[in-house]
Amino acid sequence: MRSNIVTESGLPTRLGQWWESIPFLTSAIVIVCGSIYLACLFVGYDSFSEICFLPSAVISHFQLYRIFTSVVFHGSLLHVFFNMLALVPLGSELERIMGSVRLMHVIVILATSNALFHLFIALLIAHNPFRPYEYLMNECAIGFSGVLFSMIVMETSLSGVQSRSVFGLFNVPAKWYAWILLVVFQLLMKNVSLLGHLCGILSGFAYTYGLFNYILPGSSFYSTIESSSLLSTCVRRPKLILCTGGNLSGYIPTHTSPNTSPSSLSGNLWRNLSSWIPGRETTTVQSAQDSRFPGRGRTLLSSDNQAPSALSSDSSLQAVKCG
């Protein structure tokens, strides 16, 4: 008679199951950032001054490509490793809520708004009449963590938790979590871009409070993209989460009626945001038809820790790591 023997799955099996649980876009970003770093390592490319976000170069030479190249390039193995390790739970949770195509659009908006905030603050501080700090115009920021800080703010607002753990050492109020991380990283790490992380937080709050609502299309826009022939191969993949069942106005996480006037937006902001906050500690399974959470997935993951590493200074510029 065959005995009942319970065996544990091996490490490769566990890693495979973990990787398969990561949604399409999040895993794609991990692959892209990891591949770019390995390619740079293989060919010996380390000219970060050519691809980082450099305010002086953006202003003087109109090099707008730096807005996006600075996000996907990283300066060291630990830099890309910890950034991607933090991205997996954050990106997976937001992707299950928004859908893969919608989250991709949101990430582009966040990267762009981060750059605009960075540029505006750098110009303001560098040319203020009292005590100018012109070095900010030559600060070379690189890494995905600016977007990660935006995601932290968004996920914290959606989760509804009252407190967050900082590296498992102590708990802080959830509304201060991103700010505490900003201070901790600045105190403990060298060559960390304070301005890059700060702008990520500002973009996250701007998105959470609905300031980007007027440039976000409705759910039908994303559904049209998903049904196009260009994405037919991707849509058939089980890891891609469709933007179906979302609210009609298409605003995530805050939303308003198309006929709502701008003056009533702030009055209904908290009520709208509260309607998007899922309960983290619950024993019931939400219906698949719940219109507040588009996409197939409903599992919420947690993301508490992320630790960036230092980036070597460029020979001619003050290079700092945005992560």
Side-chain angles (χ1 to χ4, degrees):
M1 184 175 180
R2 186 176 181 181
S3 60
N4 294 327
I5 301 177
V6 179
T7 59
E8 246 182 70
S9 59
L11 181 60
T13 302
R14 295 186 197 178
L15 289 176
Q17 293 173 346
W18 171 78
W19 180 254
E20 288 301 319
S21 68
I22 303 174
F24 178 80
L25 178 63
T26 303
S27 58
I29 294 175
V30 172
I31 292 174
V32 169
C33 291
S35 300
I36 288 177
Y37 173 75
L38 292 177
C40 292
L41 188 65
F42 180 77
V43 301
Y45 180 84
D46 59 357
S47 300
F48 299 121
S49 60
E50 299 176 355
I51 47 85
C52 67
F53 187 79
L54 187 62
S56 60
V58 174
I59 293 295
S60 60
H61 301 292
F62 204 63
Q63 296 176 345
L64 299 182
Y65 66 87
R66 292 177 179 269
I67 295 175
F68 303 105
T69 56
S70 62
V71 172
V72 296
F73 280 80
H74 292 79
S76 69
L77 178 60
L78 290 178
H79 188 199
V80 66
F81 175 77
F82 283 117
N83 273 358
M84 296 302 101
L85 192 64
L87 170 67
V88 168
L90 280 170
S92 297
E93 179 172 348
L94 293 175
E95 187 170 353
R96 290 187 179 100
I97 294 174
M98 299 182 181
S100 302
V101 175
R102 190 192 300 243
L103 181 59
M104 183 66 220
H105 184 209
V106 169
I107 289 176
V108 172
I109 292 176
L110 292 175
T112 305
S113 61
N114 288 355
L116 293 177
F117 278 127
H118 193 142
L119 193 62
F120 174 76
I121 296 176
L123 286 171
L124 188 64
I125 296 178
H127 298 93
N128 75 86
F130 305 102
R131 189 173 181 181
Y133 293 90
E134 296 185 0
Y135 75 92
L136 289 177
M137 296 298 296
N138 293 319
E139 185 180 79
C140 193
I142 190 174
F144 199 82
S145 61
V147 176
L148 287 177
F149 267 85
S150 300
M151 287 182 161
I152 289 174
V153 174
M154 294 164 57
E155 190 275 337
T156 300
S157 298
L158 288 170
S159 67
V161 296
Q162 299 301 313
S163 64
R164 280 288 172 84
S165 174
V166 179
F167 305 126
L169 300 177
F170 56 91
N171 292 333
V172 297
K175 63 181 179 180
W176 296 108
Y177 179 61
W179 299 105
I180 295 296
L181 288 181
L182 176 69
V183 174
V184 169
F185 287 158
Q186 199 63 32
L187 293 177
L188 298 183
M189 306 291 177
K190 293 182 178 179
N191 294 329
V192 173
S193 175
L194 172 64
L195 191 54
H197 291 170
L198 173 62
C199 294
I201 294 176
L202 295 178
S203 293
F205 277 112
Y207 186 85
T208 299
Y209 285 102
L211 299 185
F212 299 149
N213 282 357
Y214 295 105
I215 62 174
L216 291 176
S219 298
S220 59
F221 172 80
Y222 301 108
S223 299
T224 302
I225 294 179
E226 291 165 349
S227 60
S228 66
S229 58
L230 295 177
L231 291 183
S232 59
T233 303
C234 296
V235 169
R236 288 196 295 267
R237 294 181 177 273
K239 294 176 64 172
L240 187 136
I241 300 177
L242 298 177
C243 178
T244 57
N247 63 84
L248 297 179
S249 59
Y251 296 142
I252 302 288
T254 59
H255 62 282
T256 59
S257 169
N259 296 326
T260 301
S261 62
S263 60
S264 63
L265 176 61
S266 58
N268 296 327
L269 186 58
W270 175 247
R271 182 178 58 191
N272 293 336
L273 178 60
S274 299
S275 68
W276 279 91
I277 297 179
R280 184 175 289 273
E281 297 179 359
T282 178
T283 57
T284 60
V285 179
Q286 293 183 342
S287 168
Q289 300 300 323
D290 192 337
S291 63
R292 295 177 299 169
F293 299 95
R296 302 191 188 104
R298 293 294 179 269
T299 302
L300 296 182
L301 305 177
S302 63
S303 59
D304 295 337
N305 303 336
Q306 61 174 335
S309 62
L311 175 65
S312 301
S313 298
D314 185 81
S315 58
S316 61
L317 299 171
Q318 182 182 358
V320 295
K321 175 186 59 177
C322 187

